[in-house]
Amino acid sequence: MDTIAAIAAGGGAPSAIGVIRVSGPDCFAACGRVFRAARPFEELEPRRMVLGEMLDGEGRVLDRGLAVRFPGPRSYTGEDSAELHCHGSPVVLREVLAALLAAGGTSVRQAGPGEFTKRAFLNGRLDLTQAEAVIDLIDAETAAAARNAAAQLDGGLRRALEPIQEALLDVTSRFYAVVDYPDEDIEDAGAEEIQRAMISAEDGLTRLLASCKRGKVLKKGVRTAIVGLPNAGKSSLLNALAGYDRAIVTDVPGTTRDTVEESVLCGGVLLRLVDTAGLRETEDQVERLGVERSRRAMEEAELILLVMDGTAEVCPENRAYLEAQALLLSQVAQTGKPWLCVESKCDLTGPHAFSLGLIQKDADNPAACLCVSSVTGEGLDKLAEAVAALFPAGDPGEAGSLLTDRRQEDAARRAREALRRGRRALENGLTPDAVLTDAEEALDAVGELTGRTAREEIVERIFSRFCVGK
């Protein structure tokens, strides 16, 4: 295997510190030609920073910095590895990297995306769930997402899968042992024992699949549509949640012509807010396109915030407006998605002056109705509490054992479906050997989660998401 090198930190813009990573059989030799210290690079104490000089391809001093070497297999990749810590000038980092590539000749090359972590996986330092946790940790946008990724990197999901794998391996291995060694005194697994193992594994997979929603919320957040009639206060709410003027706000109805998106943390939940055009019938072609996008955003949302103008009056003279608001309320409720009614402008009126005239809070319509002021911030804390209640964080002890992406969920579902087929076959009187295929199919699907049986294209797709240098 060849040696790889890449800028792991810095390089894009000036920074305090930049890091170059190197891994492979010629790692120490190449680094020794670029980093000059009191002792040869190969003799530096492992896992200890040493001060020295960074040299360019002509042997001239480029920078003074630190280096550390990690002899394999006790390294991140499982190979001989090293890091060079320079000042964060992009020019310095590029020159040091070029010197490394030149020093190694054809044996040292530029690393590809995620190649260091891929080598850690191929060398048995990480399983696939831990490798995926690395990119989740890099991409984490909330503290909760970071904690879950860190726990998964520590093997949390692998440990949750181990009892499932062990149960299935015990059943399949004993069956083959009896077939391959008929003269040995090996007790075959009976139908009841196989069924118990399948039920146990199925229950474990069901618990994991139940964590999918929380895992996806942690990783990707909740796509949230802010909808309402024109001039209801939708853009003001977006700005208040974002903490700055993200959307244009005026007193003129129909100001928002297109969807405006922003990510905010609300109640510890990452909301992918989509501010939409006011929903109304209009002859303006541009506004009509905005209204169509608003309806599409509502269809794609996982949470809907229905904003009602708290200054509107519930009276016979306002009949057309009330009918339009009631129709929109009905459309939101019929989506079947979680939604919250947000009565805006409560600094100008009493609480629930408008919305309670339209919403009957009963078993058929359990949506919370909250009064907020985007000007004073009143009620935003209550909105945060309502969001947190709709998307609870779950038990802190679950951190690391949540399924966080579609690949993991798909593999777990296929494993559970295979187990259910096998269990039904046993219940219908088939012999244990007839359900061996189902048990092996479930075992392969679980193996996809950890990488034990993952196909090469799946592995390549996972590591293509990584940045170069990780």
Side-chain angles (χ1 to χ4, degrees):
M1 184 175 286
D2 51 10
T3 299
I4 55 175
I7 297 171
S15 58
I17 298 173
V19 179
I20 296 174
R21 303 181 79 180
V22 193
S23 181
D26 294 324
C27 167
F28 297 157
C31 288
R33 299 186 186 104
V34 173
F35 182 79
R36 185 166 62 197
R39 296 166 58 189
F41 197 89
E42 292 87 343
E43 298 177 11
L44 298 182
E45 185 177 344
R47 289 170 288 281
R48 184 168 184 172
M49 288 285 194
V50 175
L51 180 65
E53 296 172 332
M54 312 289 176
L55 310 178
D56 66 11
E58 303 298 322
R60 296 169 296 193
V61 176
L62 267 173
D63 193 8
R64 283 174 61 82
L66 300 171
V68 58
R69 70 185 193 98
F70 306 95
R74 293 180 59 196
S75 69
Y76 179 71
T77 62
E79 307 168 335
D80 286 346
S81 302
E83 291 180 359
L84 304 179
H85 293 234
C86 317
H87 290 95
S89 162
V91 172
V92 169
L93 288 166
R94 287 196 297 269
E95 287 295 316
V96 173
L97 177 61
L100 272 169
L101 298 177
T106 58
S107 65
V108 181
R109 62 172 175 82
Q110 167 73 49
E115 193 166 2
F116 291 94
T117 305
K118 182 179 179 182
R119 290 191 176 196
F121 165 67
L122 294 174
N123 291 328
R125 298 291 291 173
L126 302 173
D127 70 12
L128 207 51
T129 65
Q130 292 171 296
E132 287 176 305
V134 171
I135 191 66
D136 287 351
L137 191 54
I138 292 171
D139 291 341
E141 296 183 64
T142 67
R147 284 191 293 269
N148 183 73
Q152 187 167 318
L153 182 57
D154 191 43
L157 184 53
R158 185 196 67 238
R159 287 190 291 272
L161 290 167
E162 282 173 352
I164 299 171
Q165 275 187 317
E166 288 301 317
L168 295 175
L169 278 170
D170 184 57
V171 169
T172 55
S173 62
R174 282 174 61 184
F175 177 84
Y176 281 115
V178 170
V179 172
D180 293 340
Y181 304 100
D183 297 331
E184 300 291 334
D185 187 18
I186 302 174
E187 184 180 356
D188 194 3
E192 289 186 4
E193 185 178 352
I194 292 175
Q195 190 170 42
R196 282 196 302 271
M198 284 187 157
I199 291 174
S200 174
E202 183 183 330
D203 289 345
L205 289 166
T206 298
R207 286 192 297 272
L208 281 176
L209 286 166
S211 74
C212 283
K213 182 179 179 180
R214 290 194 299 280
K216 289 177 181 177
V217 167
L218 274 179
K219 183 175 179 179
K220 298 182 179 179
V222 180
R223 187 165 179 82
T224 305
I226 305 176
V227 303
L229 297 180
N231 215 27
K234 301 181 297 298
S235 296
S236 295
L237 178 62
L238 173 73
N239 290 343
L241 291 171
Y244 73 106
D245 290 342
R246 175 65 178 86
I248 297 173
V249 176
T250 73
D251 293 332
V252 179
T255 301
T256 303
R257 299 296 186 94
D258 200 353
T259 55
V260 179
E261 302 190 15
E262 183 67 27
S263 296
V264 304
L265 198 61
C266 183
V269 180
L270 183 66
L271 299 185
R272 308 285 188 185
L273 295 177
V274 183
D275 181 25
T276 65
L279 293 168
R280 66 172 177 178
E281 298 299 324
T282 178
E283 298 300 321
D284 186 301
Q285 183 176 0
V286 176
E287 187 179 356
R288 189 163 62 247
L289 288 172
V291 170
E292 290 174 0
R293 291 188 179 185
S294 298
R295 297 192 187 281
R296 190 159 59 247
M298 189 165 68
E299 292 171 359
E300 296 172 352
E302 298 162 294
L303 171 66
I304 299 173
L305 301 182
L306 173 59
V307 181
M308 293 187 180
D309 185 351
T311 63
E313 297 182 10
V314 182
C315 60
E317 293 77 10
N318 211 10
R319 180 176 177 181
Y321 184 87
L322 295 176
E323 288 178 349
Q325 184 64 79
L327 177 60
L328 177 56
L329 182 93
S330 175
Q331 291 171 344
V332 170
Q334 288 173 7
T335 63
K337 299 176 179 180
W339 63 285
L340 297 169
C341 173
V342 180
E343 184 179 293
S344 65
K345 310 175 187 179
C346 72
D347 53 312
L348 302 178
T349 183
H352 303 298
F354 177 56
S355 56
L356 287 185
L358 297 173
I359 293 182
Q360 298 298 319
K361 300 176 77 175
D362 54 35
D364 296 326
N365 188 6
C369 186
L370 308 151
C371 287
V372 304
S373 168
S374 299
V375 175
T376 67
E378 181 183 349
L380 292 179
D381 56 338
K382 299 297 182 184
L383 176 58
E385 291 173 7
V387 170
L390 286 173
F391 300 93
D395 184 351
E398 290 181 318
S401 62
L402 305 179
L403 300 182
T404 56
D405 64 32
R406 186 172 296 178
R407 183 196 78 83
Q408 295 174 349
E409 180 182 5
D410 175 66
R413 287 195 186 282
R414 284 188 283 109
R416 186 174 67 173
E417 183 55 36
L419 288 171
R420 285 179 172 174
R421 283 198 309 270
R423 182 166 53 79
R424 286 194 294 267
L426 283 174
E427 291 170 352
N428 290 331
L430 291 184
T431 56
D433 60 301
V435 302
L436 181 65
T437 301
D438 295 315
E440 289 183 322
E441 184 179 335
L443 190 57
D444 282 344
V446 172
E448 283 185 28
L449 280 165
T450 61
R452 186 178 61 85
T453 59
R455 299 189 303 276
E456 184 176 352
E457 59 267 29
I458 293 176
V459 174
E460 292 296 332
R461 191 181 310 127
I462 289 171
F463 288 105
S464 68
R465 296 166 48 212
F466 284 62
C467 56
V468 173
K470 191 55 186 172

